[in-house]
Amino acid sequence: MILGIGTDLANIDRIQGTLDRFGDRFRNRVFTDVELAKAARRKDEAGTLAKRWAAKEACSKALGTGLAMGISWRDMAVTNLGSGQPVMALTGWAADRLAAMTPPGHHAIVHVTLTDDHPWAQAFVVIEARPTGPPGPAAA
C-alpha cells in the first residue's frame, strides 16, 4: 500500500548561488558526508546537490510533514546502489515518523527517482508499506 507521495523541483542555479554564498555552512547543514563526497566527484556539484535537495523535500512531503515537526535535512540521505539507482535512507526523526506511519505487520520501502535538465532538478518519492508475513498464494 502507498503511505505517501512527494515531489519537488529545485533550480540548480539557485543551489549554485547558495553554495557560492554560504559554502560549507550550507553543505554541512543539509547534506551527509556521503552525499557531499559524491557531489565532489562530479563535474556539476550544484546539479548533484540540487537533485538531493529535491529528494529531501520530496521525502519530507511523502512523510506528511514537510520540513517541520523536527525533521532535519540530514535525517534523509540519498545514496546510490552499484547500478546507479538512487536510494533514500532515513535516520533520526524522519525514521521515527516513517515507523509511526507504517501499519503493524508491514515494513516500509522508500522509493526515490531523480532527474535533471539544467536549470532544473526534480525528485519523486513514494513510500510503500509491504506486509512482512509470507507471500500469499500465487494468482492463477
Side-chain angles (χ1 to χ4, degrees), residues 13-97:
D13 294 333
R14 180 174 159 252
I15 296 296
Q16 182 64 62
T18 303
L19 288 167
D20 293 343
R21 184 169 178 197
F22 297 106
D24 286 343
R25 189 170 126 205
F26 170 68
R27 285 178 184 89
N28 295 326
R29 182 175 67 90
V30 175
F31 303 102
T32 65
D33 293 341
V34 172
E35 291 171 319
L36 292 171
K38 181 170 188 76
R41 292 190 305 267
R42 293 286 177 90
K43 180 181 174 185
D44 181 14
E45 177 192 24
T48 300
L49 294 178
K51 286 186 281 190
R52 278 142 185 82
W53 170 281
K56 292 167 188 269
E57 286 273 10
C59 184
S60 72
K61 293 170 186 175
L63 289 168
T65 64
L67 284 161
M69 299 173 59
I71 284 186
S72 165
W73 287 100
R74 292 172 55 99
D75 285 346
M76 301 166 285
V78 179
T79 59
N80 296 84
L81 300 177
S83 65
Q85 176 184 346
V87 292
M88 177 75 72
L90 304 181
T91 58
W93 195 92
D96 293 345
R97 171 69 180 149

